[in-house]
Amino acid sequence: MSHGHDHAPVGGGDHRRRLAIAFGLTSTVLVAQAVGALITGSLALLVDTAHMLTDAAGLAMALVAAHLSLKPATSRRTWGYRRAEVLGALAQSAVLLAVGGYVLVEGIRRLFSPPEVPSTELIVFGIIGLVANVAAIAVLASGRKANFNLRAAFLEVLNDALGSVGVIVAAVVIATTGWQQADAIAGLLIGALIVPRAIKLLRETSAVLLESTPAGLDLDAVRDHLLGVEHVRAVHDLHATLVATGLPVITAHVTVDDECFSDGHTARILDQLQDCLTSHFPISVEHSTFQIEPASHRTHEHLGHA
């Protein structure tokens, strides 16, 4: 017996326009910085351009994932492409982690062997990048908590903005003091901000793909509450997963008194079980499936089920 609902997108709706604007801004700055790196020969600007390239690729993946996640469910894909946003966020977090690691390694190398960095050009292109990234942040900020995909995209743009600030600060220090290691210090600080965020997002998206219990949902408390329903004798094979943002799912076998099947009480029990999951816990679980069994059926179950 299941609680039926359609599988319309939840957890934020259509964010393709936001992502498209952010991708357009990032791509424009990417081209400008690539031209600037070619003209000036600045290694720092070239590295920042490489960061921008990975972020533009991440936003492109986010845009594709957002489009796929809105495709309707079919008999072949019963949840549609809802999990595409999780896959997109996982790929972006991996890219962020790789970029953050590269920045840390390159920053340490530059501390001991700093290249000559043209400060004036760095300031100009740093400001261009910062303005565009602030605009992209403004576009994505209000929707960044909607789902994993938007959070990852927001982190991509925030990463770019931090990179631009780092370039500007380093350029100012180099222009005023001539201390070339300022570029490496800025890079290390940026890397220190990128890596923890990337690891956190990687852990969260990996947990979804591993079908871990959704964060904030205590299955022991769920079991105890279901056992409190009248005529319920046992709850086993209790599983909870998260298909995508805002779409938790619970399945369980519920053992009830044998007479419930003869007096028509099972329908009421089902309603009570579903009400428990939709209204009692901090996370509302609207997609629940219960197999209601008589107590005598327990002997037919495989042993060892939780």
Side-chain angles (χ1 to χ4, degrees):
M1 297 183 180
S2 66
H3 194 178
H5 293 275
D6 61 40
H7 298 163
V10 291
D14 190 351
H15 294 277
R16 288 176 294 181
R17 184 172 178 272
R18 295 176 186 270
L19 289 169
I21 293 173
F23 175 68
L25 290 169
T26 302
S27 299
T28 301
V29 176
L30 169 63
V31 173
Q33 287 193 333
V35 172
L38 183 64
I39 293 174
T40 63
S42 167
L43 180 60
L45 192 55
L46 182 61
V47 171
D48 195 47
T49 302
H51 294 173
M52 188 72 73
L53 177 61
T54 59
D55 292 343
L59 287 169
M61 287 188 289
L63 186 57
V64 171
H67 176 72
L68 290 176
S69 68
L70 294 176
K71 284 184 173 293
T74 65
S75 57
R76 180 178 174 81
R77 294 182 174 85
T78 56
W79 293 108
Y81 288 86
R82 289 298 310 278
R83 190 151 281 186
E85 59 108 336
V86 181
L87 295 174
L90 179 67
Q92 290 178 72
S93 61
V95 170
L96 275 173
L97 189 59
V99 171
Y102 172 76
V103 168
L104 293 176
V105 172
E106 181 67 9
I108 293 173
R109 188 189 70 81
R110 290 189 183 189
L111 282 176
F112 299 98
S113 181
E116 287 293 327
V117 178
S119 57
T120 302
E121 289 83 349
L122 281 183
I123 291 176
V124 171
F125 286 101
I127 291 174
I128 292 174
L130 181 60
V131 170
N133 287 319
V134 168
I137 288 172
V139 170
L140 295 174
S142 61
R144 70 184 185 277
K145 296 182 179 179
N147 57 43
F148 287 122
N149 200 32
L150 264 293
R151 285 180 58 196
F154 180 80
L155 287 177
E156 297 276 11
V157 177
L158 184 61
N159 172 32
D160 279 338
L162 291 173
S164 297
V165 170
V167 168
I168 293 171
V169 171
V172 170
V173 171
I174 292 171
T176 56
T177 68
W179 190 50
Q180 295 291 336
Q181 281 87 347
D183 181 59
I185 296 295
L188 290 171
L189 290 175
I190 295 168
L193 292 173
I194 293 172
V195 172
R197 290 189 178 99
I199 291 175
K200 183 175 184 293
L201 186 60
L202 192 62
R203 290 178 58 187
E204 291 177 352
T205 51
S206 296
V208 174
L209 296 179
L210 290 172
E211 298 194 347
S212 302
T213 300
L217 187 64
D218 185 344
L219 272 193
D220 290 331
V222 170
R223 187 192 303 273
D224 291 342
H225 198 69
L226 294 179
L227 286 170
V229 175
E230 188 179 7
H231 299 294
V232 171
R233 294 292 170 256
V235 176
H236 62 101
D237 286 284
L238 177 61
H239 302 286
T241 61
L242 190 67
V243 175
T245 305
L247 190 53
V249 177
I250 282 183
T251 62
H253 291 212
V254 180
T255 303
V256 300
D257 294 329
D258 287 356
E259 58 267 23
C260 292
F261 289 87
S262 58
D263 62 15
H265 202 72
T266 53
R268 181 180 174 187
I269 293 175
L270 179 61
D271 288 339
Q272 291 176 305
L273 294 173
Q274 292 170 342
D275 287 342
C276 285
L277 296 181
T278 57
S279 59
H280 184 77
F281 298 98
I283 297 178
S284 177
V285 183
E286 296 186 359
H287 290 270
S288 56
T289 301
F290 297 102
Q291 178 172 308
I292 299 182
E293 309 164 343
S296 58
H297 180 72
R298 184 61 172 162
T299 58
H300 300 287
E301 290 283 345
H302 293 291
L303 297 178
H305 288 206

